[in-house]
Amino acid sequence: MRSSVIVFPGSNCDRDIAVALEKMQFKNQMVWHKETSLPKTDLIVIPGGFSYGDYLRSGAIAGKSLIIDEVIKFAKNGCLILGICNGFQILTETGLLKGTLLRNKNLKFINKDVNIKVLNNKTQFTSKYRINQVLNINIAHNEGNYFTDSKHLQELKNDNLIAFKYCDNKGNTNLESNPNGALDNIAGIFNSKKNILGMMPHPERMVDKFISNDDGVNLFSSLLN
Amino acid sequence: MKITNEIIEKHGLKLDEYKTIQKLLKRNPNILELGIFSAMWNEHCSYKSSRIHLKKLPTKGKKVIQGPGENAGVIDIGDNDAIVFKIESHNHPSYIEPYQGAATGVGGILRDVFTMGARPIALLNSIHFGSTTHPKTKSLLNGVVSGIGGYGNCIGIPTVAGETKFNETYNENILVNAMAVGLAKKNKIFYSKAKGLNKAVVYVGSKTGRDGIHGASMASAEFDENSEEKKPTVQVGDPFTEKLLLEACLELMKDDSIIAIQDMGAAGLTSSSVEMASKGSLGIELELDKVPCREDNMSPYEMMLSESQERMLIILEDGKEHHARKIFEKWDLDFVIIGKTNNSKNLTLKYNNKIEGEIPVEILATKAPIYDRKWVKKKVVQKKIAIKQLKKIKLEDALIKILSSPNHSNKSWVTDQYDQMVMCDTVQKSGSDAAVIRIHNTSKAIAVTVDSSANYCKSFPLTGSKQVVCENWRNLISVGANPIAITNCLNFGNPENKEIMGEFAECIQGIKEACEFLNFPVVSGNVSFYNGTNQKSIFPTPVIGGVGLIPDISKTLNHYFKKENSNILLIGKTFGHIEQSCFLKENFSISEGLPPEINLNNEKNNGETVLQLIRKNLVTSVHDISSGGLLVALSEMSIGSNLGAKIYKPKKLTNKFEYFFGEDQGRYIVEVEKTDLEKVIKMLNDNEVYYENIGKTQAKNFEVESEFNIGVNDLFKINNQWYNNY
Amino acid sequence: MAKLFQLNLKKNKLKFSVTVTLKKDVLDPQGKVVENTLKSMGMGNLKSIRQGKFFEIEVDENDQKKAEEKVKVMCEKLLVNLIIEDFKITKLI
Amino acid sequence: MAKLFQLNLKKNKLKFSVTVTLKKDVLDPQGKVVENTLKSMGMGNLKSIRQGKFFEIEVDENDQKKAEEKVKVMCEKLLVNLIIEDFKITKLI
Ligand SMILES: Nc1ncnc2c1ncn2[C@@H]1O[C@H](COP(=O)(O)OP(=O)(O)O)[C@@H](O)[C@H]1O
Ligand SMILES: [Mg+2]
């Protein structure tokens, strides 16, 4: 399985995701944002962290970079695309995923381990998880407060496009378990063809028991299938 | 421009210092040259009041690759790996503009570390605010914390440890100290010493603006009521550009294009060029028209004194220009050759082909005045506090009072705003005795921590500063690390006051004694004087940042109880020293008397023994005992783990408050499984370490025999409420 | 007169201000916090406050209409997230 | 006429806009990144762009002078960081 990680100026979780992918036996390449073509690849990852300092809006400027046109082309052809954290923000800025990520409701950067649960395990990203399985995963963001219009929200629900929701350790999704104010506790969504996943939590931080836990492993092993 | 006394004073120079300048130059300086002198000769850059004392600190050791004198200290951690680290203050700018002041403090210390060829792998900070009831404290706290996070999160380096304290002594002068730790290859360390003639001097990074002009002299003058009015141009941090600069520098450092490199920190272009030239006994000529400027019509004076952030000066090897330029352009950064080295030993500044200033480098760098300022020993006042004569309180209430106080509350309100996990090597985050960072791709790790004890240092500087070093050492031991070396940030008041200078001299003496005894050398540091307002100086606050090595990552430990029914051992002797304790301060507002004595012999023996216990896998959790004493330390072990404890009351107890809250030094708590107890006791006896078996872990409840019994959940709540209600 | 006017335009670059605000139905947590803080600071008769972004844009273009069109493109292509934000362009003197 | 005016004021709360910009010599990292991006997107004749903040403030107060004074206090006390920022208050209709 070949993967490509896009690197923008100021990206900072690019190495982390590359390490995780390699650990999971992906053949990974880093792709600089000024490239105009992508190598042959089965998975494109837009990493977390920051891009261009996220000075205007998170992901806005990266969303205009040269390589993004290629990413959009690959997406249309069904290539798998994973956007983590800033990557999710970039995907919404490019329109590959609908909605947007507003500032956290407490107006502060939040870094902590939170619980999310798997809402749909019939996708290439999540097949190794059980339905409603609760994962403990690290979040680190300033703008993770997912927002979309009511029509799209309905579509997300009807078509089973919500990948993960914030919850408590028993799987209840409620106000207390929502760290950032996201609409309906949404932590990650698919596009309608389910070849694109955007998520705020960082699965690449959860593949090493020495550092945290290995709740992120199955996301990568699902992709390997 | 005629140089009047007023102009001299505005430059922070004393009249007799100006006379020295005239004598050394054998003429009058022009205004540009005066500006350069003021930048190089102020307290911040020249260490004129501290130098003779700093010399006493032990700076050498088997593991020391580079001690003080370079951008940061460097230690050897084996396998050709080196750790580069330093701490620095950004107190004054952070008081004026907390977000940007703190952010640029982080940016500055990061540059000190990556100039030396190290990739930064961890950030720490020590932040001190005024009383929580002071009207400014809340917004300063908010601004500083988000500024530290804003910079570190954006550049992508985890902020993993620190300390957050409140004390009214900082009401008008907060402390913001930031520490950065980087990883380099031992044979690829970069220094600032210029070498060779006619080498290109290259400016890289951001453009130069009018920001921060005279920032360094601001850091060397006391505040008065007007300083907020004066509105000095505060720098705005740009972590995005710094990230680009970091990657570009590390990329260029892969081969040997660089002869010397120096970040432009305080006093920007001036101090960086002077430093490089002086270390190499060379001259440097700069063509200032080439300096990339952000604003129109900037004068040579402004260019030389600007403190714009995110800039570096590099001396390049011949023939490497094209290669280097390509790298910086790839990262969208300015790259301009602005001068060259020569053998004149002068700093020569040209503008439009005209020499605007010329000063022998030697004069700037080494002829700055050095003061042996008057100092007096602290008059120590022995005072025994008789608890029996105080208002009666319950043990449980005293504990709750401490655990819910601002200084002892859980700091996750702060640390949740920092990305602690980025880089995916954080084994142990904030909240433990020391943070543990894995060396990428290996099975070893380093432990890092910062500590201070201003109250102790105020009442008895000599013992207080010794205690800070020991506490730092203990924190490293507690997570299973061999302590290696420290960096220090010495935050003091006005050195022209002999009492303050006495605090400084005695604190240095204390640090020296502890470091020498523990073989814990000082490899870098920073002095910040003039903290205070209107003649009222802050408490002496030396902050110690320590680094230790954990050779095998599987042998690191934290302080959370692991299992029910383990034995809890208290290591080190408890005398019940209650003066200067947080028990008296929080419950009775008493802050008289002396801090606990330090017995370096016991300190070392106890610590080394605990480390052996950890390495032999004989203990399952370890916590050092510091502020708050035994009972607070025990509660912290419970709170993090959800396991409770049952603590026996010792038979011959003089006073339970002294026993449970006394702050005697050199003590640890360890958790020992039943099966290992015998082995542990044997080792303690063999090493002549004093210990007591004080209780057992248990489920859910934290209790002291025949005193109180409280749910761990409740303890957690008590410990976690203050920040959220503030 | 017409000539003078033209000349003037050539000399002065055109300058615009752009204000970007969150759409009415989008929650503005930042504005809320600012509002509450101001109220708790005693600004009793503050009715409401909304926070947005502001840009000052200078364009190298003589024709005001064209210039404004360009600023509009900048807004739509980058400066504004049309899903949640509205914007307004004003010519500055 | 005067009466009508008064009445009008009573009904309509007073509304102001505040723009906050960085002082002239202060680094504007945001503006710089946006400017470079727009240029690389082909907006050649963009001359310069600076980014700032924008507030829309409604005050419960009849007297315009008083209201404006209040907004000014809000700016100085909270909304603006006078060390690095300037601000401008404009009355909205
Ligand atoms: N500003 C901060 N940044 C990061 N970590 C912090 C900060 N303030 C406190 N902490 C963390 O909170 C914990 C408790 O701090 P402290 O009580 O000073 O610890 P100790 O007594 O072990 O030195 C430590 O793990 C420390 O790293
Ligand atoms: Mg400790």
Side-chain angles (χ1 to χ4, degrees), chain B residues 125 127 161-164 411 415 418 430-433 451 471 475 626:
Chain B
N125 61 85
I127 50 185
E163 46 171 10
T164 313
K411 305 294 188 301
T415 56
Y418 304 149
S430 279
S432 41
D433 287 325
D451 292 281
E471 179 173 353
N475 278 326
S626 58

Side-chain angles (χ1 to χ4, degrees), chain B residues 475-649:
Chain B
N475 278 326
L476 296 174
I477 295 269
S478 298
V479 299
N482 292 87
I484 299 183
I486 63 166
T487 180
N488 66 112
C489 195
L490 305 173
N491 305 279
F492 285 77
N494 186 343
E496 293 159 48
N497 170 322
K498 59 182 193 289
E499 268 88 34
I500 302 295
M501 201 56 214
E503 289 173 349
F504 184 77
E506 290 197 89
C507 275
I508 296 253
Q509 181 64 27
I511 294 173
K512 168 194 151 83
E513 285 175 21
C515 287
E516 269 172 0
F517 197 91
L518 298 173
N519 188 17
F520 201 27
V522 180
V523 297
S524 58
N526 172 245
V527 178
S528 171
F529 277 130
Y530 298 100
N531 289 289
T533 322
N534 290 338
Q535 315 303 318
K536 196 162 181 285
S537 289
I538 60 158
F539 282 11
T541 316
V543 174
I544 302 292
V547 177
L549 177 67
I550 300 168
D552 175 0
I553 196 185
S554 68
K555 299 214 164 144
T556 184
L557 270 188
N558 59 32
H559 67 274
Y560 304 129
F561 284 139
K562 299 294 177 317
K563 262 193 184 159
E564 282 176 43
N565 232 350
S566 308
N567 291 280
I568 301 172
L569 266 54
L570 164 59
I571 289 179
K573 196 151 187 149
T574 303
F575 302 95
H577 185 103
I578 205 74
E579 290 74 28
Q580 288 301 330
S581 68
C582 97
F583 163 78
L584 286 182
K585 183 140 180 68
E586 298 296 345
N587 287 287
F588 300 98
S589 303
I590 294 176
S591 48
E592 295 155 284
L594 296 183
E597 262 314 313
I598 296 286
N599 178 329
L600 288 169
N601 251 318
N602 286 345
E603 192 68 58
K604 189 157 188 236
N605 189 29
N606 295 358
E608 285 173 349
T609 306
V610 169
L611 191 58
Q612 279 180 44
L613 291 172
I614 296 174
R615 293 282 161 82
K616 296 216 153 98
N617 292 325
L618 292 173
V619 288
T620 51
S621 65
V622 176
H623 195 16
D624 71 306
I625 299 178
S626 58
S627 178
L630 175 60
L631 206 52
V632 169
L634 284 166
S635 330
E636 287 167 349
M637 296 175 86
S638 256
I639 288 170
S641 67
N642 265 323
L643 285 172
K646 186 185 176 96
I647 307 301
Y648 323 130
K649 225 154 96 179

